[in-house]
Amino acid sequence: MGKKDEDYDEDSEDDDLEEDQSEEEQYDESDSDTKKSTKRKAGTKKKLPPKKRANTGKVAKNTEPISFSFKNPEYLKKKSKNKKRMHKNLKQIITQENYQDLPPTVPTYINIEAPPSMYPPKKYCDITGLHSKYTAPNGIRYHSSVVYPIVTSLNEYRVQDYLGLRKSTTNIK
Amino acid sequence: MQQRNVDHHIIVMDNGGGSCKVGFAGERNPKIIPNVIAKAKSTGAGVKGKAYIGDELENCENYSSLVYKRPIEKGYVVDCETQIALWNRIFSADVLNVTDFADRHIFLTHQPFTPNIIKSDLAQVVFEHFGFKEYTSLSGSYCAFNGFLSEHQYNPTANPINASYSAVVVDSGFSFTNITPIVNHGVQKESIRRIDIGGKALTNYLKEIVSLRYYDMMDETYLMNVIKERLCFVSLDFMKDMNIVKNVENEIQRHYILPDYRNTRTGFVKQDDVPLTAEDQVLSMNNERITVPEVLFTPSDIGSDQAGIPEAIVQSVSSTQEIFQNVLYDCILLVGGNTCFPNYKKRIEKDMRKYVNVDHNITVHQPSDPVVCCWRGASSFAGSETGLARMSSTLTVTKKEYEEHGSNICIQKFSQS
Ligand SMILES: Nc1ncnc2c1ncn2[C@@H]1O[C@H](COP(=O)(O)OP(=O)(O)OP(=O)(O)O)[C@@H](O)[C@H]1O
Ligand SMILES: [Mg+2]
């Protein structure tokens, strides 16, 4: 993974969608950057295996950097580098606003979120983007038997990349 | 609204996550400045890449491998330092050429429910860093509605608006989509709905699927955004179109010639009658053309559990008082950059008809320029007598007031809309 230039981000999806990674998000954005670039760098070999990500995730809960620094030295470097980043991200700001103390009838950033759809989600073939009726044992959805050999030939990281597109990496363990 | 002449004392700014629209009160067209500092990735040890601030990005020779720093997250200014750097550029002689801040008034549009921390940070930037004399802030969606109304001054043949000054404003821009009902000039705050999807998420999605399927485009955000804007469109019959794209040769498929960075910096869509040369690198865009904008309608496609735009409009309107619902469905106003996708308005009309009881009329409007509509509304507001009157009575904080009361006075005054 190439080093980031100061605190510039790759303009990836850090603020596109809230992901449920409560532990990891305790950190400043740097951590979600790490996670992102590991998960997202599609088609590059320079990526950390997902296991490493799980490590940093656990670490976040303990918030005692020194005791685990050996697990992922890159991580500490990043963290200290990102000290330069003075500003808080939106999530941290929202937390500080203590909206939970307001009566639920008061509209806030949190409770204006659009509720879920009433309609079932569409299903696409992860490989081709076409409609899909089938799901392989590794979690990949596919369009037809023509694609199936590709589906079964994918290694674990590749599978994670594909599932990451629809943020369902946590579904399979 | 009575239009006055251009008032150079009031700087009007719609400071969006993608671009900052800026100009003087009463002007018709803003300058549009990318709200980003882009930097070339460093090429070697110790060598820093060149940084491009805002509009300087146009001079960048190679859009490949840029990294970006943006002051705004989901519509809110979270990084004041970066914002100041960008505003410095905007106020510089190259753009607006403003130096005498102590004599100027700044009019900013804002997103609903801006956290108080951000409101006071911004007040500090406005009064302490730049030293503006006066500061006004008004709901961006309200301004957009005003912009749509003011269009009729320029184009009297446009559709007449209901006399009640009510509408649902759907602002789908760079970093989010907000749905804001306005009844008789009043923003119905408790009925606002937000979807965390905007043009940035769509570009990233396209970048990721192309990277998984064809070429590694993970460092090519700029290019993928260009391709998205040139080739993606909203499908009016998704099932049918998805059946069409199954075929190897089909009428939806297009070929995009990727840039060689010698003759073209952003590439172009291949024309049917021009043969490929051996050097051309071609990206085939097929189902991607429709599945990317489709995310606006079904965010579950990328794993979000928020409803899509048409459903969220229904959620929003149904939460208003029943007597307002008729008039709101009858004036749905689409603004923001995503409105520019071909068929976007038609699709919303079509879906709304599916979800809404036949008793309601459904009318969907799109301003002539959905990207600058909000700015135009703000400009015409700040440039009109009635707008000025409202500004001075309730919407504006002066430097003196700020010095007396601190940022609390901004929090109070700007929370009304
Ligand atoms: N012709 C087009 N087709 C598709 N998308 C477009 C087109 N033109 C602009 N966009 C998209 O619209 C988005 C910018 O919209 P807009 O200018 O309304 O946002 P913003 O005001 O800068 O940000 P925000 O309001 O979210 O803070 C970008 O993501 C851009 O790719
Ligand atoms: Mg905007």
Side-chain angles (χ1 to χ4, degrees):
Chain A
M1 202 172 355
K3 275 191 209 140
K4 297 280 158 61
D5 288 26
E6 289 162 23
D7 49 349
Y8 286 68
D9 71 19
E10 303 242 318
D11 207 33
S12 259
E13 73 296 344
D14 54 319
D15 60 359
D16 296 344
L17 276 181
E18 300 284 344
E19 284 174 67
D20 267 317
Q21 356 121 334
S22 32
E23 301 155 353
E24 295 182 18
E25 290 207 341
Q26 304 276 323
Y27 288 135
D28 50 32
E29 271 167 284
S30 59
D31 192 62
S32 59
D33 280 354
T34 322
K35 182 177 61 61
K36 221 159 42 197
S37 25
T38 53
K39 187 164 81 186
R40 299 288 153 167
K41 282 268 171 176
T44 53
K45 285 143 268 152
K46 303 176 267 178
K47 72 182 75 139
L48 296 174
K51 268 188 205 136
K52 277 235 177 95
R53 265 192 278 133
N55 278 346
T56 46
K58 275 205 201 86
V59 157
K61 246 196 274 181
N62 305 333
T63 55
E64 233 163 33
I66 296 151
S67 60
F68 60 80
S69 58
F70 61 92
K71 284 188 184 163
N72 187 354
E74 274 296 301
Y75 168 74
L76 264 192
K77 254 190 260 163
K78 272 199 173 279
K79 177 101 184 164
S80 60
K81 223 161 86 192
N82 271 276
K83 280 266 153 60
K84 250 195 254 165
R85 182 181 292 225
M86 297 296 283
H87 75 271
K88 301 188 185 69
N89 64 27
L90 186 62
K91 198 154 208 159
Q92 293 165 321
I93 292 171
I94 296 287
T95 311
Q96 282 190 6
E97 297 274 309
N98 291 322
Y99 290 133
Q100 70 278 4
D101 298 345
L102 297 171
T105 47
V106 176
T108 65
Y109 175 80
I110 302 291
N111 59 21
I112 59 161
E113 173 175 6
S117 170
M118 313 218 298
Y119 301 85
K122 294 203 271 297
K123 293 189 176 137
Y124 302 103
C125 170
D126 289 311
I127 310 294
T128 62
L130 299 170
H131 273 311
S132 154
K133 285 201 263 311
Y134 319 104
T135 307
N138 58 8
I140 296 285
R141 291 187 193 137
Y142 60 101
H143 168 65
S144 72
S145 55
V146 180
V147 198
Y148 193 66
I150 304 176
V151 175
T152 50
S153 71
L154 299 173
N155 68 30
E156 190 197 329
Y157 305 137
R158 205 71 180 151
V159 169
Q160 295 296 322
D161 280 342
Y162 276 111
L163 295 182
L165 269 183
R166 48 184 164 96
K167 304 262 190 305
S168 70
T169 30
T170 48
N171 287 356
I172 57 143
K173 277 274 148 70
Chain B
M1 242 173 233
Q2 266 305 312
Q3 205 63 39
R4 307 176 333 142
N5 295 332
V6 173
D7 182 349
H8 288 273
H9 282 102
I10 308 180
I11 297 168
V12 176
M13 195 187 260
D14 171 19
N15 192 44
S19 63
C20 177
K21 294 86 177 164
V22 64
F24 296 106
E27 279 184 331
R28 170 84 173 127
N29 289 312
K31 298 200 158 69
I32 303 181
I33 310 291
N35 210 355
V36 65
I37 301 180
K39 201 164 143 190
K41 277 189 180 166
S42 63
T43 42
V47 186
K48 283 204 168 179
K50 183 171 166 39
Y52 302 88
I53 304 179
D55 58 307
E56 292 175 340
L57 192 56
E58 283 160 28
N59 310 326
C60 176
E61 271 162 25
N62 187 339
Y63 292 122
S64 178
S65 297
L66 290 173
V67 284
Y68 300 95
K69 189 150 71 168
R70 299 185 186 275
I72 292 187
E73 196 185 331
K74 289 187 190 149
Y76 304 113
V77 177
V78 292
D79 180 356
C80 285
E81 226 172 280
T82 304
Q83 191 64 75
I84 287 171
L86 281 150
W87 284 359
N88 276 336
R89 170 74 197 165
I90 285 170
F91 297 138
S92 76
D94 289 327
V95 187
L96 278 194
N97 196 12
V98 173
T99 45
D100 48 344
F101 298 106
D103 281 336
R104 309 270 183 156
H105 181 157
I106 188 161
F107 184 119
L108 282 172
T109 65
H110 64 229
Q111 293 309 320
F113 309 111
T114 305
N116 288 344
I117 297 174
I118 295 179
K119 281 201 197 106
S120 57
D121 284 354
L122 276 177
Q124 218 175 327
V125 170
V126 163
F127 289 121
E128 294 178 28
H129 183 87
F130 288 103
F132 278 103
K133 187 175 75 174
E134 287 166 293
Y135 173 22
T136 302
S137 187
L138 188 58
S139 150
S141 292
Y142 181 84
C143 290
F145 184 41
N146 194 54
F148 181 61
L149 293 173
S150 71
E151 241 174 42
H152 301 279
Q153 293 177 321
Y154 302 94
N155 177 11
T157 58
N159 286 328
I161 306 290
N162 58 66
S164 61
Y165 288 98
S166 304
V168 192
V169 178
V170 182
D171 180 0
S172 188
F174 182 74
S175 42
F176 62 88
T177 299
N178 271 347
I179 293 157
T180 309
I182 295 170
V183 175
N184 196 11
H185 284 295
V187 172
Q188 305 294 296
K189 289 186 81 174
E190 55 301 319
S191 294
I192 293 174
R193 292 293 176 272
R194 75 170 163 89
I195 306 171
D196 293 329
I197 292 189
K200 179 182 178 185
L202 302 186
T203 300
N204 280 331
Y205 183 52
L206 177 63
K207 185 172 84 177
E208 287 168 24
I209 50 184
V210 166
S211 297
L212 277 167
R213 290 176 196 159
Y214 314 109
Y215 294 101
D216 181 1
M217 292 288 182
M218 293 312 282
D219 284 340
E220 307 288 343
T221 308
Y222 191 97
L223 175 62
M224 292 321 287
N225 191 59
V226 170
I227 297 179
K228 175 194 81 174
E229 291 180 9
R230 290 189 183 158
L231 279 175
C232 288
F233 67 95
V234 174
S235 167
L236 291 176
D237 187 339
F238 192 70
M239 286 299 178
K240 187 174 135 238
D241 285 347
M242 284 303 271
N243 274 322
I244 294 174
V245 295
K246 272 200 299 216
N247 304 312
V248 179
E249 292 283 313
N250 67 69
E251 68 259 32
I252 290 178
Q253 182 168 48
R254 292 286 181 281
H255 295 290
Y256 196 87
I257 315 284
L258 297 171
D260 52 10
Y261 294 109
R262 269 177 291 137
N263 306 311
T264 149
R265 288 189 294 171
T266 53
F268 50 90
V269 181
K270 181 186 171 299
Q271 303 290 305
D272 281 342
D273 47 353
V274 183
L276 288 174
T277 70
E279 287 188 354
D280 286 337
Q281 287 215 73
V282 184
L283 172 67
S284 156
M285 289 277 290
N286 194 15
N287 64 61
E288 297 80 10
R289 292 188 70 198
I290 54 173
T291 51
V292 169
E294 191 67 16
V295 172
L296 295 167
F297 298 87
T298 45
S300 57
D301 293 352
I302 56 168
S304 161
D305 54 7
Q306 299 169 344
I309 293 177
E311 256 190 291
I313 297 174
V314 176
Q315 292 168 350
S316 164
V317 174
S318 354
S319 76
T320 64
Q321 286 181 45
E322 205 155 351
I323 46 161
F324 300 148
Q325 296 182 8
N326 226 339
V327 52
L328 287 174
Y329 280 128
D330 207 16
C331 188
I332 298 170
L333 177 62
L334 308 177
V335 299
N338 292 322
T339 310
C340 302
F341 281 120
N343 294 341
Y344 175 81
K345 170 169 175 269
K346 270 200 193 136
R347 170 70 180 272
I348 293 205
E349 265 161 358
K350 193 173 162 218
D351 282 10
M352 292 303 294
R353 208 52 284 176
K354 264 195 300 197
Y355 300 145
V356 176
N357 192 311
V358 286
D359 302 342
H360 293 295
N361 265 336
I362 291 174
T363 314
V364 183
H365 298 280
Q366 175 176 334
S368 59
D369 189 337
V371 172
V372 300
C373 183
C374 169
W375 184 87
R376 278 185 184 155
S379 167
S380 102
F381 187 90
S384 72
E385 296 295 349
T386 38
L388 272 181
R390 278 188 59 198
M391 275 158 65
S392 61
S393 61
T394 56
L395 301 170
T396 300
V397 174
T398 63
K399 185 150 197 268
K400 198 155 157 283
E401 284 173 309
Y402 174 79
E403 278 159 2
E404 260 168 53
H405 306 277
S407 54
N408 274 341
I409 183 131
C410 294
I411 294 174
Q412 267 170 32
K413 286 203 175 178
F414 303 157
S415 295
Q416 300 167 38
S417 67

